[in-house]
Amino acid sequence: MSSKFKAAEEATQRVKESKVQDKRINKQRVMLLSSRGITYRHRHLLTDLEGFLPHSKKDAKLDTKSDLYLLNELAELNNCNNAIFFEVRKRQDLYLWMSKTPNGPSAKFHVQNLHTMDELKMTGNCLKGSRHVLSFDKNFDSAPHWQLLKELLGQVFNVPKGSRRSKPFVDHVLSFSIVDNRIWFRNYQIIEKTPQNTPDFTLEDKKNDISLIEIGPRFCLTVVRIFDGSFGGPTVFENTEFVHPNFVRSMERRQKSQKYAKRQAAIKERDQRVAVAEESRETELSNKNIFS
């Protein structure tokens, strides 16, 4: 009787272990957070990213901008192995940090040409929590740093099968393209033409039955620097063509000041010409010489 009891106990234990065991191979989770001073457009972009990344976890704002190594501890507390951090400077310049915590690598991008889903009002739509297809430009294989960024973007934006809050549907495409030495991000809906959703459905429509409609958001990423560690460490790649936005604004102010200086110099030169002309018109019978 005792042997039967032990066998039944071992069988129940094996059933419990099989239930507890997680069969997922890809266990990527992404932590999303931002710094203080974020604007409403940046906050809407963060919300859009959270919408089509069901394996992400949004955290509170980070108070510091210098001690970024604290993000590794926050990611560990949230059980995340990826992190996306929005760093805002002067309430207008947005820098996006993307890192594989806690060992790296990490990359810092400057975000430009930002348009959120509320601003675009595109006709495309997709199911919230659905998985997506990642599309990378062939230029990502042209240089080693682009290959590294391709692997980093793939691990951060790839939704694992069976992850929390995800749905078993693939109905949109995330496109990453390299143009003008920058990464352009687009989000498209996959539409399949069927007799139910397409009036006057023909055989030609059946041949070209898949089309893409943009959903949004859209933005452009300029690579600033790639680090070996997570949010720091030795520099793997530095973009020498990157121009800091502070330098751009200072050049614009300098051009405006030069324009003002040129206008004042022209006014002064005109006053001198008028004075010289008045002196040249004076004669013996002029009022100044008669009544002086």
Side-chain angles (χ1 to χ4, degrees), residues 31 62 64 67-77 231:
M31 182 182 66
L62 189 68
T64 180
D67 302 331
L68 296 182
Y69 61 87
L70 297 175
L71 294 170
N72 296 322
E73 300 178 4
L74 291 176
E76 185 180 0
L77 291 175
F231 295 103

Side-chain angles (χ1 to χ4, degrees), residues 144-161:
H145 67 281
W146 291 124
Q147 294 177 357
L148 178 60
L149 290 176
K150 178 182 178 180
E151 185 66 26
L152 180 62
L153 292 170
Q155 295 192 23
V156 170
F157 285 93
N158 184 25
V159 179
K161 183 178 180 180

